[in-house]
Amino acid sequence: MNIVVCVKQVPDTATERKLRSDDKTLDRDAADGVVNELDEYAVEEALRLKEAHGGEVTVLTMGPDKASETIRKALAMGADKAVHLVDDALHGSDALGTSYALAQALKKIGFDLVVLGSESTDARTGVLAAMLAERLGVPQLTFANKVEVAGSSIAIQRVTDYGYDKVEASLPAVVSVVEKINEPRYPSFKGIMAAKKKPVEKLGVADAEIDAAQVGLANSWSEVADFAAAPPRAAGTIVKDEGDGGVKAADFLASKKFV
Amino acid sequence: MSEVLVLVEHVEGQVKKVTLELLTLARRLGEPSAVWTGPGYSAEAKAKLAEYGAEKIYVADSADIVDYVVAPKAELLAQLVSSASPAAVLVAATAEAKEIAGRLAIKIDSGVLTDAVGIGEGLVADQSIFGGGVNVRSRVTKGTPIIAVRPNATPVEAAAGAGAEEQVSVAVSDAAKAAKVVDRVKEEKGARPELTEAAIVVSGGRGVGSAENFSIIEKLADSLGAAVGASRAATDAGWYPHQFQVGQTGKTVSPQLYIAAGISGAIQHRAGMQTAKTIIAINKDPEAPIFELADFGVVGDLNQVVPQLTDEVVKRK
Ligand SMILES: Cc1cc2nc3c(=O)[nH]c(=O)nc-3n(C[C@H](O)[C@H](O)[C@H](O)COP(=O)(O)OP(=O)(O)OC[C@H]3O[C@@H](n4cnc5c(N)ncnc54)[C@H](O)[C@@H]3O)c2cc1C
């Protein structure tokens, strides 16, 4: 099975994240770049599927040069090779532009299965996997907490507000995974060493047959009008429990008409 | 005035509150047209939608539309956008509705904005990003704006609309039938409101200590008619199911009142609850960062404070 797993480099959620004042895009230099956490679950799931069914795992990332760190991490976990979609023309692409660029790259790479994290911790739109399914014309198997492949059939459990849906489809397909689907492995020392020798192919906009008029900040379907740091919340009242903490909290609730 | 399409969220035939919020919002932007998808449509549902301002109700209640993942609903909305030329399409910022919005955006070549907490003049959407640290105003620059709005962001107001019903026949394309829902498994959630919709959320964290002890969180929630949430430390430990996780990689909630017990207030947790109107924290560590957000905080042992609070709430009802 030919599995492509899409990973994204995002600013560490533990550091202060900012937008750039010049073009209002994410300031990638302000914070440390890390692998989007949910994508580690996607890599893990891809590796498990390969271990069970054979085949190859290719990492696909779109992002600036710096995103190669993210590729290395996924390769160190055990992926076989990588494709890095990198081109200045891609900077500032919104979800529509990004999904278009990735879909073009995926068509070029070829796949039986595409695996993604269900959302990124920076943009948090949660739409990319659905958009890829739409663009590629393949089944959408998203928000999976369980994936099973048998021959050319695939079944997932799709997490819903009330529990989960069992969903079935045929390959090729797009799958997105949620947090508790598995426990991502740590790269071993051997894995880290091996990753250095694994092939990473760089693709530019022209190589992936991406129409430059459909990507990048200037061609986005939406724009940031303006932004500002959120005003801090007014300081609240903090009391120490002296046997009546619950009563005081209830008084507060009553003062706000919650009881 | 142009129509504004509102994708109706419903469960067991009941219109969800977020839909009434979207109708309220849509009235300011144009003429609200509710779009009902899937079985369960009734006179009662119709009355509710009209009460909150639906001038038109498009009804596509064939089972086909919900038997496949997301794609048929996007197809239906695309069909309505081309026939009605609306000023905008509003959906709730739920996981599934955002996916519908995403596929629709591609079909009609239009921009999509997710997780709006308000929509102003010129269809400019307010968004709160990076865990609530930055407020952004964005707008769609191509096509028909598609905006996913967070539940609880808009106070609902009734204002009667005509509620003119229009049956829509949909022939779900083969392409949209690629991922078939073969079973729906409902996990017991009792009578509590849904986490993302609830006006009050009571969450427990590592400080709760065990799965059994989550019952004190549940009791407080039940006394207030609230939903129960949990921090990732609590869901990771298996004390509470994952779908109740609040935060960066869990649900985002924006209730009137959020009570955090035994939760330190890590940035990734705050990302999911920072926009709550009123926040109460109960934590034994006076230095816990959650107190920076709290409108009211009790420094103490939650095993004492929470049951006492529950008793008081019950007493004062
Ligand atoms: C990429 C990423 C995504 C994440 N996503 C999420 C997410 O979606 N949601 C989330 O919650 N976290 C998330 N986290 C984890 C987050 O960083 C914290 O680890 C987590 O929120 C901690 O949970 P907690 O506050 O319950 O536990 P702790 O930080 O351990 O805090 C427990 C608190 O309980 C208090 N306490 C202990 N006993 C008592 C008692 N008897 N009475 C009163 N107080 C007591 C302690 O003083 C302490 O403040 C994420 C992390 C990363 C890296």
Side-chain angles (χ1 to χ4, degrees):
Chain A
M1 191 163 41
N2 185 3
I3 308 170
V4 182
V5 51
C6 298
V7 298
K8 181 184 187 186
Q9 188 178 51
V10 296
D12 191 340
T13 51
T15 54
E16 195 195 347
R17 292 169 288 171
K18 289 194 201 141
L19 294 179
R20 278 162 52 159
S21 51
D22 53 355
D23 68 359
K24 301 171 193 150
T25 63
L26 175 67
D27 188 343
R28 291 181 194 270
D29 298 324
D32 295 337
V34 296
V35 181
N36 177 46
E37 209 212 11
L38 286 171
D39 299 348
E40 292 184 22
Y41 296 81
V43 174
E44 178 64 35
E45 201 57 27
L47 294 173
R48 288 183 189 197
L49 288 168
K50 174 192 152 173
E51 282 154 13
H53 304 282
E56 199 175 41
V57 175
T58 306
V59 178
L60 169 62
T61 200
M62 168 173 146
D65 284 329
K66 197 181 159 196
S68 56
E69 299 157 15
T70 289
I71 292 178
R72 288 290 160 207
K73 168 114 194 236
L75 292 175
M77 283 174 75
D80 300 291
K81 60 189 176 62
V83 174
H84 187 173
L85 194 52
V86 49
D87 199 309
D88 288 342
L90 297 167
H91 170 75
S93 299
D94 61 0
L96 280 120
T98 302
S99 64
Y100 164 67
L102 287 174
Q104 291 301 99
L106 284 163
K107 284 180 200 161
K108 188 158 180 80
I109 298 166
F111 60 90
D112 298 308
L113 190 62
V114 180
V115 189
L116 301 83
S118 54
E119 68 175 25
S120 62
T121 55
D122 54 353
R124 293 203 74 186
T125 61
V127 298
L128 200 76
M131 283 182 163
L132 282 180
E134 175 74 30
R135 292 205 184 270
L136 296 166
V138 301
Q140 173 189 330
L141 302 170
T142 46
F143 290 91
N145 68 4
K146 190 173 177 192
V147 180
E148 278 170 337
V149 173
S152 64
S153 304
I154 177 163
I156 66 150
Q157 286 186 5
R158 169 175 168 83
V159 176
T160 63
D161 282 334
Y162 48 80
Y164 60 88
D165 287 352
K166 288 188 180 163
V167 182
E168 290 176 2
S170 307
L171 297 176
V174 172
V175 165
S176 83
V177 302
V178 300
E179 200 177 297
K180 286 175 173 80
I181 187 170
N182 57 39
E183 195 56 60
R185 66 195 69 183
Y186 286 104
S188 63
F189 179 71
K190 211 171 124 218
I192 293 168
M193 296 314 286
K196 295 187 173 149
K197 297 195 199 81
K198 289 178 178 170
V200 179
E201 185 188 358
K202 289 201 178 199
L203 290 184
V205 159
D207 308 317
E209 290 171 47
I210 293 166
D211 173 5
Q214 302 276 320
V215 293
L217 185 61
N219 300 312
S220 279
W221 281 255
S222 56
E223 67 178 16
V224 171
D226 49 53
F227 67 91
R233 289 183 85 100
T237 311
I238 312 294
V239 301
K240 194 169 169 344
D241 179 32
E242 275 155 355
D244 60 351
V247 175
K248 286 192 173 141
D251 290 343
F252 175 79
L253 286 181
S255 76
K256 294 278 181 189
K257 309 241 176 327
F258 286 113
V259 285
Chain B
M1 243 198 309
S2 301
E3 290 180 42
V4 174
L5 299 184
V6 171
L7 179 64
V8 176
E9 297 269 332
H10 55 88
V11 60
E12 282 150 16
Q14 301 286 319
V15 177
K16 289 210 210 169
K17 188 169 109 236
V18 64
T19 299
L20 310 181
E21 296 169 2
L22 295 189
L23 287 170
T24 304
L25 204 51
R27 292 206 305 267
R28 289 182 224 147
L29 310 171
E31 281 187 2
S33 296
V35 181
W36 182 284
T37 55
Y41 185 69
S42 64
E44 189 197 339
K46 175 184 172 166
K48 193 88 177 178
L49 295 169
E51 184 188 344
Y52 285 85
E55 295 295 340
K56 249 189 220 169
I57 305 171
Y58 295 107
V59 182
D61 58 354
S62 80
D64 244 21
I65 215 159
V66 291
D67 285 348
Y68 305 91
V69 176
V70 171
K73 290 186 185 173
E75 221 168 63
L76 168 74
L77 286 175
Q79 182 185 323
L80 290 174
V81 167
S82 88
S83 62
S85 309
V89 180
L90 305 186
V91 305
T94 60
E96 170 151 324
K98 288 203 288 184
E99 293 193 322
I100 296 167
R103 295 191 73 136
L104 174 65
I106 291 171
K107 285 184 189 295
I108 64 170
D109 194 26
S110 296
V112 57
L113 299 171
T114 53
D115 293 288
V117 292
I119 304 176
E121 197 75 22
L123 291 166
V124 174
D126 299 311
Q127 293 163 305
S128 159
I129 63 165
F130 299 155
V134 179
N135 293 336
V136 171
R137 293 181 345 121
S138 327
R139 66 169 85 85
V140 164
T141 49
K142 288 187 200 169
T144 305
I146 305 165
I147 307 178
V149 184
R150 277 206 188 140
N152 276 323
T154 323
V156 295
E157 272 165 52
E165 207 172 285
E166 203 172 301
Q167 286 289 332
V168 190
S169 65
V170 266
V172 178
S173 74
D174 286 342
K177 290 184 175 175
K180 184 164 174 52
V181 178
V182 294
D183 194 13
R184 289 194 175 83
V185 180
K186 300 212 158 78
E187 282 166 354
E188 237 230 289
K189 75 166 172 75
R192 289 191 195 105
E194 211 167 90
L195 184 54
T196 49
E197 284 230 317
I200 304 179
V201 174
V202 181
S203 289
R206 198 193 306 275
V208 174
S210 68
E212 298 72 51
N213 210 32
F214 250 84
S215 65
I216 68 168
I217 302 296
E218 290 182 330
K219 281 185 192 133
L220 176 56
D222 291 342
S223 75
L224 290 161
V228 173
S231 74
R232 175 148 139 191
T235 61
D236 275 351
W239 300 343
Y240 221 69
H242 179 221
Q243 68 259 36
F244 298 101
Q245 182 174 313
V246 171
Q248 181 81 62
T249 49
K251 298 267 160 61
T252 301
V253 299
S254 212
Q256 297 298 318
L257 172 65
Y258 188 85
I259 303 182
I263 291 177
S264 62
I267 177 113
Q268 296 91 353
H269 186 78
R270 292 155 72 144
M273 45 68 73
Q274 190 129 268
T275 53
K277 307 284 178 306
T278 300
I279 296 171
I280 295 187
I282 300 162
N283 195 303
K284 67 179 183 188
D285 173 10
E287 305 295 321
I290 191 76
F291 286 124
E292 292 161 19
L293 292 185
D295 298 288
F296 189 83
V298 181
V299 180
D301 184 345
L302 67 89
N303 294 299
Q304 310 298 324
V305 179
V306 172
Q308 188 179 65
L309 174 56
T310 309
D311 288 346
E312 283 296 314
V313 171
V314 172
K315 233 189 276 173
R316 295 182 197 201
K317 274 218 163 132

